[in-house]
Amino acid sequence: MQDEVLLTPWRDFPVEDTDPFAPRDEEKWDFVLVSDIHEVGSEKEIKRKKFLDELSKKGFAIKKIEDKKLFYGVRAPNQIFRKYQWLLRNSNSRPQNPDVHHDVPATTRIRIVNFILQNTVTPDLEKLHNLMKKKVFETAFPLHEKEELTEFLRHKWARWRGICRQQPIEKIRCYFGEKVALYFAWLGWYTYLLGVAALVGLVVFVAGITVFSSSQVSKEICEANDTIMCPLCDQKCPFWLLSDTCTYAKVTHMIDNEGTVLFAMFMAIWATVFLELWKRHRATVVTDWDLYRWDEDEEELAMELINNLQHEPRRYQHSYFRSTIILLLVLVMIAVLIGIAHALVIYRVIATAFFSQSNSEFLREQANTMAVMTGAVLHYITIVIMNKVNRRVALYLCDLEKPRTFSQRENNFTVKIFTFQFFTNFSSLIYIAFFLGRINGHPGNYMRVAGRWRLEECHPSGCITDLFIQMAIIMLLKQTISNVMEYLVPWIEHKLCKKQRCPKKRSMVLGEEEAAEDPCKSHWLSNYELKEVNIFSLFDEFLEMVIQYSFTTIFVAAFPLAPLLAFCNNIFEIHLDAIKMMRLYRRMVPRKANDIGIWLQVLEAVGILAVIGNGLVIAITSDFIPMQVYKYTYSPCMMENSTGMDCSTGYINHSLSVFRIQDFEPYTKVPEMLPDFVRDEIKECRYRDYRNTDDYSYTVQFWHIFAARLAFLILFEHVALCVKVIAAWYIPDVPQSVKNKFLDRKHSNLRKQLSMMEYSTEV
């Protein structure tokens, strides 16, 4: 009778329900190692043999199959899993009889075997990752088994036609482990609640469209046929009429309205409610899995002892010198990323000047918009490039830190890579939102790049449209090109491998019998030809979603459609990831977890940044505050006999300053006049700012608006943060049902122990 631990709890199904072509139970293998065919007696062949011998000493069964490469199937002895079950008996979980050996799930088998493979040391003091670097082994991976659970996930979950079905989280857990299951549970929960934010954002955007032509400010711009604006560049740029930008002004006020303020406040509350509800949902899920109080350190120590009984735990250490060096290197990297953002700013400045001097009338008229759009595309390209650079730098810094455990390394890496990605994605947006048009000086005294090119100016109706365009382009490109490439590249590779693997059948001679092929061979080959996965495969999915979450919340005041785009993307992302994992990628090594790890702290930090960011967008980028100051201080409504008048009447004229053209800088070429104007008649032009006509110093209105912006920012952020705190208090992290379940369990255990004590006393 064979002593075999069943791979999964689903082997209790009747034999006729299983795949008739699946290998027999004794032919199931936990892992497959792949190696090139080396010369007999070569160094690589000797190292490979030493590693396999070490596995044999630990009781591993090894099977060799030769094709174009060497394949070694390894299966761990049952004793290893019995040790694991014995060491990790949990008094807080359901009562178990230590004498009864329950079936070890396939995910646990794979996880333990992977740990042993990665930590097996040869006589040359080399581990598997060292041997892979030296090309002794090419790769190692667990197999997609042909069983009922696999077929269910492939046909019910990893298909586009199942896009509207609820995710089978429990089955995902049983196949990929808790870490992957929690990712899909989090992503599904995030997408579900994102639908609410998407609906509100759509309502705000549609409401803005309804006032597309009715805004008093837009009407004033469209009717300003006699307001002459200062040139947008130094050479070949003419004076222009404010009314020429009528459409741009309407679009700006479609985005920048009172609804934007309310939506920004709503998103701050939504982010908090989302995280609090996720904590409750996660507590319920992991309680059902008996993992609520699971100890990761204890599990890792148990596997270390199973692998090597003489193992000594690695001690906690901290080096202030090493931490200081790493902090300085992180700051240097952030400075580099900010420098890249400055390079994008310089590009926009030069592009604006180039388009303004173009022979094309369309490019001259839309010079600023074209610079913004091409700058956004260039920004997306830098994001794609810097993704790879940021990863290498973050890994290098993690190696310098020498973390104690893999989990600690993963957490350190997560914080660093997110910090780098945040600056990569948002540095340019921060410039547009908070600096564009505010540090460029004024006619006659412009701030210049290299003393030559003027910095950009904001449109008279505000800079928020530039931020809207930048976010729209980046989000659309990230969610289309990135996702298409993420799916298309492995799909094409898979199809090409499948086509190359199908050889033409050899013609059979009469009476010749076809040689039977080892059933494991085709199974291993088909798994080998799938796209390789690594420890970052799931990490990349989390990072992609958290960056999207940042786009959805931090600058949502300027782009109310961000939640809608994210919602539509996530509907496809869930099933795109499912198809990749089940059909295009090798099987991930399952990992145990009872939460999403440090990503929760990252999301909470993003929630705080969202409050600050949206407060700054409304206070600085938007024209909401200047318009309110005008309405309640300088507008006709503050005067007598103004009943029935729109209080924003006259705002545009009030927000434009006057510049005398005789005060242009000496080396600035006075631009050509408009055909309809006589040269000698133009004595002055207008520009967006609050400055005196005499000495171009700031007016009282500027300081009044500055104080109002600051007061609003402080008020908005304090109110929003207070609401977040109240929401976090109002919604408990752990449902009462979960607490009651643990209470009943403790009570039952204590009562049982007391009964056993009384019984033993009586006896």
Side-chain angles (χ1 to χ4, degrees), residues 18-121:
T18 60
D19 188 345
F21 298 102
R24 300 186 308 275
D25 282 353
E26 61 270 17
E27 285 297 308
K28 286 199 169 184
W29 301 90
D30 299 318
F31 247 81
V32 172
L33 300 171
V34 183
S35 168
D36 290 323
I37 301 176
H38 304 128
E39 293 183 7
V40 178
S42 66
E43 183 182 2
K44 292 181 179 179
E45 196 266 345
I46 293 172
K47 288 181 179 292
R48 183 180 68 223
K49 187 175 183 302
K50 287 180 179 180
F51 182 80
L52 295 175
D53 287 344
E54 290 299 319
L55 293 181
S56 297
K57 291 177 185 177
K58 294 180 179 181
F60 276 72
I62 301 176
K63 177 175 181 175
K64 176 182 174 182
I65 293 180
E66 185 172 340
D67 193 64
K68 294 179 180 178
K69 295 187 180 284
L70 293 177
F71 295 86
Y72 295 92
V74 297
R75 181 170 62 242
N78 295 330
Q79 187 63 26
I80 286 178
F81 308 113
R82 290 175 181 168
K83 289 179 182 178
Y84 174 85
Q85 289 178 316
W86 176 262
L87 289 175
L88 295 179
R89 296 189 315 280
N90 188 351
S91 59
N92 292 321
S93 63
R94 296 188 182 95
Q96 292 183 355
N97 184 351
D99 296 326
V100 177
H101 296 293
H102 297 279
D103 293 342
V104 177
T107 52
T108 303
R109 288 186 65 98
I110 294 171
R111 187 172 68 253
I112 296 172
V113 171
N114 176 69
F115 185 89
I116 294 175
L117 288 176
Q118 298 298 332
N119 290 277
T120 295
V121 182

Side-chain angles (χ1 to χ4, degrees), residues 84 86-92 293-306 316 404-405:
Y84 174 85
W86 176 262
L87 289 175
L88 295 179
R89 296 189 315 280
N90 188 351
S91 59
N92 292 321
R293 295 175 180 174
W294 169 73
D295 187 345
E296 186 171 9
D297 285 340
E298 183 184 14
E299 169 137 339
E300 184 161 338
L301 286 172
M303 289 198 289
E304 290 280 11
L305 289 171
I306 291 170
Y316 289 96
R404 193 181 71 86
T405 63

Side-chain angles (χ1 to χ4, degrees), residues 746-759:
K746 285 181 179 179
H747 181 265
S748 176
N749 289 341
L750 290 172
R751 174 179 284 181
K752 187 176 296 184
Q753 291 177 19
L754 187 60
S755 299
M756 291 175 64
M757 185 196 74
E758 292 178 350
Y759 175 77

